[in-house]
Amino acid sequence: MTPFRYEKPADTAGAVEISRRAPAARYLAGGTNLVDLMRETIERPETLVDVSHLSGEIRDIDGGGLRIGAGVKNTAVAAHRSVRERYPLLTQAILSGASAQIRNMASVGGNIMQRTRCLYFYDDASRCNKREPGAGCDALQGFTRNHAILGGSASCVATHPSDMCVALAALDASVQLEGPRGARRSLNLTDLHRLPGNTPEIETGLQPGELITAVELHPNRFANRCSYRKVRDRASFAFALVSVAAALDLADDGSIREARLALGGVAHKPWRARTAEALLAGKQPAETQFRQAADAELSAARPLPHNAFKIELVKRVIVSSFVALAQRKEASA
Ligand SMILES: Cc1cc2nc3c(=O)[nH]c(=O)nc-3n(C[C@H](O)[C@H](O)[C@H](O)COP(=O)(O)OP(=O)(O)OC[C@H]3O[C@@H](n4cnc5c(N)ncnc54)[C@H](O)[C@@H]3O)c2cc1C
Ligand code: SF4
């Protein structure tokens, strides 16, 4: 591990100020991803700015939404009564990830900002444009079972590994940011992560030194009909091959007032499936409609040599998720 300085600021403004003065700084939350990367010398920050004690509350906000501090641990988010009752999709997604021990350490901010699990990114004997811009990408000629089928580029085909973010994308969450000199702004979660294009090393829309302070959720109409399904090689402690966050809001006549759909394990960012959502609005919640919507969304898929199976797999998970949600009884949901 490369030597580094450690700072523990008193508040978020202090954290951002340290980061402004020391550009080769990284925020440290639970450390479950960053410290691993430092051990492998893939990340070499000169300064670690500890934010694990900051932004640690969950509270109601005006209009019926919920604000979740960036420092809240994943376990605490999943177990919080308001999250379980009003945003069960989020609880399901978080509990499908990692292990209990890691969720106890991992924070909301760190989960959003965690880096890809592409094996070639972790192996410094391999060429990787994300690790070393312009070096090339050994994944493209390598083993691509876990890589992207949507939105990839000739520079990078990595996927974003978070389960939590897939649920946040479906819930239309926004991410609250604090930058140098008190500048505050909000970004939709779906706009925060980027597709790789020619610059896979730029993974998010955060400006240098910007700190995530919270995630905000709107009031949720989908609490009775939502689900997170994750397909992986092992039943626990494994990243998604594909995952599906699905939610339905049905009108009084039984038609679909609104469908929400986000996919994990398929792209460099949590993939909000807006083509499928648009096709489902106003339709009857029938299996054929769900299949057509899934086919339309995945028509843009570009499989790699070892991951064509993901296309049919994710379509089937989309259809089975929506069929089960449509059949769910309102009262028992
Ligand atoms: C064995 C293993 C299995 C896993 N399985 C899964 C899984 O199945 N599903 C899943 O979703 N995840 C999984 N994970 C990943 C885990 O969820 C992440 O490591 C964790 O969420 C990162 O949170 P952290 O607080 O530890 O972040 P850290 O490791 O502290 O930081 C991660 C990154 O976020 C940045 N950061 C942290 N806080 C902020 C902030 N407030 N603002 C801006 N930047 C910030 C850091 O600078 C760093 O770049 C697994 C991890 C391991 C080790
Ligand atoms: S897919 Fe992306 S992260 Fe993986 S080796 Fe290629 S450039 Fe690096």
Side-chain angles (χ1 to χ4, degrees):
M1 194 182 272
T2 311
F4 57 87
R5 283 181 346 123
Y6 171 84
E7 302 257 13
K8 190 167 184 179
D11 52 25
T12 55
V16 174
E17 179 57 20
I18 296 169
S19 190
R20 188 183 70 78
R21 282 190 277 109
R26 284 279 186 283
Y27 294 121
L28 173 70
T32 59
N33 186 217
L34 180 57
V35 174
D36 278 358
L37 290 166
M38 289 172 64
R39 277 200 209 102
E40 302 293 332
T41 66
I42 292 162
E43 292 264 17
R44 293 175 211 159
E46 289 172 11
T47 306
L48 279 188
V49 187
D50 191 340
V51 294
S52 59
H53 56 299
L54 305 176
S55 311
E57 67 166 3
I58 299 179
R59 64 176 164 83
D60 289 332
I61 50 177
D62 289 348
L66 197 69
R67 180 182 169 97
I68 303 172
V72 182
K73 300 298 186 191
N74 285 186
T75 298
V77 178
H80 194 276
R81 186 170 181 171
S82 295
V83 178
R84 281 189 287 118
E85 291 179 356
R86 289 152 58 189
Y87 305 95
L89 183 63
L90 184 53
T91 293
Q92 288 172 32
I94 291 173
L95 292 182
S96 77
S99 65
Q101 291 88 341
I102 289 172
R103 295 193 298 268
N104 287 343
M105 290 299 293
S107 66
V108 169
N111 193 312
I112 293 170
M113 296 299 288
Q114 65 175 295
R115 317 256 343 245
T116 183
R117 291 282 159 170
C118 171
L119 292 176
Y120 302 92
F121 171 70
Y122 278 79
D123 171 18
D124 66 5
S126 298
R127 294 177 307 154
C128 171
N129 286 320
K130 190 182 281 296
R131 206 172 353 91
E132 193 186 336
C137 169
D138 274 349
L140 288 168
Q141 278 78 46
F143 186 53
T144 49
R145 177 175 165 78
N146 292 315
H147 288 78
I149 53 172
L150 289 164
S153 73
S155 297
C156 179
V157 287
T159 55
H160 193 266
S162 169
D163 292 295
M164 183 189 81
C165 288
V166 181
L168 292 178
L171 289 166
D172 258 347
S174 65
V175 179
Q176 308 303 309
L177 302 172
E178 183 167 335
R181 300 182 184 86
R184 294 198 176 156
R185 67 183 180 121
S186 169
L187 262 184
N188 290 336
L189 187 281
T190 49
D191 296 331
L192 187 140
H193 300 99
R194 298 175 73 251
L195 291 177
N198 296 327
T199 52
E201 72 281 10
I202 305 173
E203 294 171 349
T204 71
L206 263 64
Q207 298 298 315
E210 265 187 324
L211 177 72
I212 299 174
T213 53
V215 164
E216 289 190 359
L217 299 169
H218 301 289
N220 185 20
R221 294 194 314 280
F222 302 92
N224 289 330
R225 291 185 202 274
C226 61
S227 67
Y228 186 77
R229 291 193 182 185
K230 174 174 176 177
V231 181
R232 49 193 152 170
D233 282 328
R234 281 194 307 258
S236 104
F237 216 27
F239 291 91
L241 283 169
V242 301
S243 69
V244 172
L248 275 183
D249 182 24
L250 299 184
D252 292 343
D253 65 0
S255 64
I256 299 171
R257 189 181 290 127
E258 189 179 353
R260 293 275 182 89
L261 181 63
L263 310 177
V266 295
H268 198 254
K269 58 184 288 185
W271 188 269
R272 181 75 181 266
R274 295 193 191 275
T275 302
E277 289 180 358
L279 278 174
L280 289 173
K283 301 280 171 34
Q284 288 302 310
E287 185 169 341
T288 47
Q289 300 290 355
F290 297 134
R291 180 72 202 193
Q292 278 174 19
D295 285 344
E297 188 67 44
L298 272 298
S299 64
R302 299 288 174 268
L304 297 160
H306 308 110
N307 69 5
F309 74 95
K310 282 190 177 186
I311 298 176
E312 183 59 20
L313 180 61
V314 77
K315 286 182 185 178
R316 290 186 187 198
V317 183
I318 292 169
V319 173
S320 64
S321 297
F322 276 133
V323 166
L325 294 178
Q327 288 170 350
R328 207 177 268 186
K329 296 258 185 307
E330 196 72 45
S332 65

